[in-house]
C-alpha cells in the first residue's frame, strides 16, 4: 500500500514558488541571479499598517478570533465592497482566510464533488487547476491565446460548458498576463452564465488595484446582478497593500457558501493571524494614496520591459493593462540551438537556458497552461529589470538556426 495518498499524485508543487526558490538557492551559492519569478511587490508594507499590527500586539489581540474573521475586519471588507465595487454584502456573507489562496481552497473543497468540472481560462494562475484536482474536480482548461489578448470570449465559454460544470474561475487583472476584462467583456460572459444556472463563479480580484493608463476595474457580480447569488468575489491585501507575508485574503458570497467554507477552515487552520487581521483593517480603512504612487512605478517598469523585450529577436510582448506581469511569446526562439548545441524545444527549455546562460529566473508558460510563453514579474527594481532584459536579449542573440 502506498504511503502517500492517491490525491497527492494528482498535483505538483507550485512552479512559481519552485522558480523563486531556485533563484534564491543559486544566489546563496554565489551566482549572479536576477529573480523575476516572484509574484510580490518589492515595496515594503506601509508604516500605518505595520503600526496597526504593533498596536494589536500591545492591546493583546493575540488570541484566537472567530474562525472566518473578526467583526472589525468583516465590517471593513463590507465597506470596501460597497465603496469600491458597489457590492452589498452583510458580515455573514464575508469570509477571511490565511491568504487569497485559502479562500479558493475552502470554496472548492466545500463544494466540488468527484468529477465536477471547473472551467479555468488559460493562461491561468498556477494554483487553480491543482486546487480543483486536489478537491476531486476536473479542470477544464480553455485556451485564450495572445491574439485574443489572453481573454476568454463568450463563445469559448459556451463551448466549455457541460452538464458537469460546477465553477468558472475568472481572474482579472490576470496573473500571468496582466490582461483586464472590461465591464462589456464580463457582461458578454455573464449573458452565457445566466443561461446556465448550475454554474458558480469564482471571481479572483486579487490584482484589482493594479491598473494602468486609466483602465477601469469591473467584477462580474456587480456587472450582472443576476449572478450575485452564485458568485464568490475573492480579494485580499497581499498585492496592492504589499502584505504577501501577512497572509490575509477574503471573499464575499452567498451566506450558505460562506458558512460551508468556515466549516472547512474550522477543521484546518482556524482563524487567520489575529495580528494580520488588525493590520488588514487598517489597510482597507486607512489612507490609500500609496497605491497610485506604486502604480506609477509599476507602469514605468512595464513600459520599459515591454519596449526592451519587443526589440529582442524571437520575442513578442503585449503591453498589459494591469497586475505586474508580462507574458511574452518566445515562439521565435523555439527550434533554435544554444551555443552549447542544445535545441530549445519548448518554453521550459527556454527559461532553463535563460537561467543557465544569463542568470535570469523567469517562469515557463507551460506552468500557466499556455505555451510558448514565459512570465516576467516586474515587481522588482528598474535597474534589475533593465539588466535582466539586456541579458535576455544577449541570450536570444546567441541562439543559432
Ligand atoms: C491570481 C492570484 N490569486 C490569488 C493569489 C493568492 O494570494 P495570497 O498570497 O493572498 O494567497 C495570487 C498570488 O499570487 C494570485 O496571483
Amino acid at each position: 500500500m502506498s504511503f502517500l495518498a492517491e490525491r497527492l499524485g494528482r498535483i505538483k508543487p507550485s512552479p512559481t514558488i519552485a522558480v523563486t526558490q531556485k533563484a534564491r538557492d543559486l544566489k546563496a551559492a554565489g551566482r549572479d541571479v536576477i529573480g523575476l519569478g516572484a509574484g510580490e511587490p518589492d515595496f515594503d508594507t506601509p508604516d500605518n499598517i505595520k503600526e496597526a499590527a504593533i498596536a494589536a500586539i500591545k492591546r493583546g489581540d493575540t488570541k484566537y478570533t472567530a474562525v472566518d474573521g473578526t467583526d472589525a475586519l468583516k465590517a471593513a471588507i463590507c465597506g470596501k465592497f460597497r465603496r469600491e465595487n458597489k457590492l452589498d454584502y452583510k458580515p455573514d456573507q464575508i469570509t477571511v482566510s490565511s491568504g487569497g489562496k485559502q479562500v479558493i481552497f475552502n470554496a472548492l473543497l466545500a463544494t466540488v464533488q468527484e468529477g465536477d468540472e471547473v472551467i479555468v481560462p488559460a493562461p491561468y494562475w498556477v494554483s487553480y487547476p491543482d486546487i480543483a484536482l486536489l478537491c476531486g474536480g476536473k479542470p477544464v482548461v480553455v485556451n485564450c491565446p495572445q491574439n485574443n489578448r489572453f481573454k476568454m470570449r463568450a463563445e469559448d465559454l459556451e463551448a466549455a460548458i457541460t452538464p458537469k460544470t460546477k465553477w468558472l474561475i475568472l481572474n482579472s487583472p490576470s496573473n500571468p498576463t496582466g490582461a483586464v476584462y472590461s465591464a462589456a467583456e464580463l457582461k458578454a460572459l455573464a449573458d452565457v452564465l445566466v443561461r446556465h444556472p448550475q454554474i458558480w463563479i469564482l471571481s479572483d480580484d486579487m490584482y484589482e488595484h493594479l491598473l494602468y493608463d486609466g483602465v477601469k476595474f469591473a467584477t462580474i457580480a456587480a456587472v450582472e446582478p443576476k449572478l450575485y447569488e452564485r458568485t464568490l468575489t475573492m480579494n485580499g491585501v497581499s498585492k496592492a497593500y504589499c502584505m504577501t507575508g501577512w497572509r490575509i485574503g477574503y471573499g464575499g458570497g452567498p451566506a450558505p457558501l460562506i458558512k460551508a467554507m468556515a466549516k472547512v477552515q474550522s477543521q484546518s487552520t482556524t482563524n487567520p493571524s489575529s495580528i494580520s487581521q488588525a493590520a488588514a483593517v487598517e489597510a482597507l480603512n486607512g489612507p490609500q494614496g500609496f497605491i497610485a504612487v506604486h502604480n506609477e512605478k509599476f507602469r514605468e517598469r512595464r513600459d520599459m520591459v515591454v519596449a526592451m523585450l519587443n526589440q529582442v529577436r524571437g520575442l513578442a510582448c503585449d503591453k498589459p493593462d494591469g497586475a505586474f506581469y508580462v507574458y511574452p511569446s518566445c515562439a521565435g526562439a523555439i527550434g533554435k540551438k544554444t551555443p552549447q548545441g542544445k535545441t530549445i524545444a519548448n518554453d521550459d527549455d527556454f527559461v532553463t537556458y535563460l537561467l543557465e546562460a544569463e542568470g535570469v529566473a523567469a517562469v515557463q508558460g507551460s506552468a500557466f497552461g499556455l505555451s510558448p510563453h514565459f512570465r516576467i514579474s516586474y515587481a522588482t527594481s528598474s535597474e534589475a529589470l533593465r539588466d535582466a532584459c539586456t541579458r535576455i536579449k544577449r541570450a536570444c542573440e546567441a541562439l543559432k538556426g
Side-chain angles (χ1 to χ4, degrees):
M1 199 206 296
S2 151
F3 170 62
L4 294 177
E6 176 273 329
R7 77 176 80 84
L8 202 70
R10 300 179 208 155
I11 63 165
K12 55 194 177 320
S14 162
T16 45
I17 293 175
V19 168
T20 310
Q21 190 56 44
K22 194 167 171 187
R24 233 182 250 139
D25 292 345
L26 284 170
K27 253 188 212 162
R31 279 278 315 268
D32 169 24
V33 171
I34 307 176
L36 304 177
E40 64 181 346
D42 53 324
F43 306 118
D44 198 7
T45 307
D47 279 342
N48 61 308
I49 299 175
K50 291 182 180 172
E51 292 302 334
I54 293 164
I57 294 173
K58 292 199 169 145
R59 209 167 47 232
D61 281 3
T62 52
K63 305 283 200 281
Y64 291 130
T65 72
V67 164
D68 64 352
T70 60
D71 289 346
L73 182 50
K74 287 191 177 191
I77 293 166
C78 289
K80 177 261 178 270
F81 276 133
R82 214 170 298 122
R83 197 170 57 241
E84 298 186 341
N85 307 115
K86 304 208 167 26
L87 285 170
D88 194 15
Y89 291 116
K90 304 279 174 284
D92 68 347
Q93 294 180 276
I94 299 294
T95 190
V96 184
S97 297
S98 300
K101 192 182 266 184
Q102 194 183 15
V103 175
I104 301 169
F105 194 89
N106 288 346
L108 297 194
L109 196 64
T111 57
V112 171
Q113 308 258 41
E114 205 63 38
D116 281 351
E117 293 178 357
V118 179
I119 297 179
V120 182
Y124 45 71
W125 180 46
V126 292
S127 294
Y128 302 140
D130 282 14
I131 294 175
L133 285 165
L134 204 52
C135 297
K138 181 177 166 229
V140 173
V141 173
V142 176
N143 256 7
C144 306
Q146 191 166 10
N147 56 10
N148 293 344
R149 298 216 64 204
F150 302 116
K151 291 190 250 189
M152 188 170 63
R153 300 163 309 172
E155 60 262 41
D156 304 325
L157 172 60
E158 188 83 66
I161 293 172
T162 78
K164 290 195 164 166
T165 308
K166 179 80 168 244
W167 282 96
L168 161 66
I169 301 184
L170 285 175
N171 173 220
S172 170
S174 150
N175 176 2
T177 65
V180 179
Y181 284 82
S182 67
E185 287 164 339
L186 288 178
K187 179 71 172 86
L189 298 178
D191 288 346
V192 175
L193 294 163
V194 165
R195 293 199 298 276
H196 296 276
Q198 90 280 12
I199 303 177
W200 284 68
I201 303 100
L202 198 163
S203 181
D204 180 341
D205 299 352
M206 188 54 92
Y207 295 89
E208 167 179 9
H209 293 106
L210 291 124
L211 289 170
Y212 313 111
D213 308 326
V215 167
K216 292 269 176 291
F217 176 75
T219 192
I220 199 159
V223 166
E224 177 48 86
K226 287 187 197 135
L227 297 177
Y228 172 87
E229 278 305 328
R230 48 188 170 107
T231 299
L232 177 66
T233 307
M234 188 228 108
N235 211 316
V237 294
S238 295
K239 312 288 173 170
Y241 298 93
C242 312
M243 293 175 70
T244 44
W246 299 71
R247 311 305 305 132
I248 296 290
Y250 58 85
L257 170 65
I258 296 297
K259 197 169 161 201
M261 290 165 66
K263 190 170 171 186
V264 172
Q265 192 162 298
S266 77
Q267 295 296 13
S268 52
T269 55
T270 315
N271 61 279
S273 153
S274 56
I275 298 150
S276 297
Q277 289 190 72
V281 171
E282 173 63 17
L284 296 179
N285 289 345
Q288 308 287 305
F290 63 89
I291 295 178
V293 176
H294 290 175
N295 281 1
E296 188 46 28
K297 293 230 172 65
F298 283 139
R299 189 196 57 75
E300 276 170 21
R301 294 170 183 178
R302 176 203 63 171
D303 290 352
M304 179 186 75
V305 167
V306 170
M308 287 186 81
L309 292 179
N310 277 327
Q311 282 164 15
V312 178
R313 199 160 36 94
L315 305 185
C317 187
D318 274 10
K319 189 193 271 193
D321 292 327
F324 41 60
Y325 308 105
V326 290
Y327 198 64
S329 160
C330 54
I334 305 299
K336 301 223 165 123
K337 275 201 163 60
T338 70
Q340 292 72 35
K342 188 174 179 311
T343 301
I344 306 275
N346 49 42
D347 51 31
D348 292 59
D349 289 347
F350 182 72
V351 298
T352 301
Y353 169 59
L354 290 184
L355 186 59
E356 286 172 358
E358 291 287 352
V360 174
V363 187
Q364 65 279 15
S366 62
F368 307 98
L370 192 85
S371 293
H373 285 266
F374 61 109
R375 188 192 78 174
I376 285 178
S377 162
Y378 54 86
T380 191
S381 74
S382 301
E383 296 70 47
L385 288 167
R386 190 171 299 110
D387 187 5
C389 291
T390 306
R391 294 184 191 198
I392 291 171
K393 184 161 196 259
R394 198 159 55 216
C396 288
E397 278 168 3
L399 291 173
K400 304 255 170 353

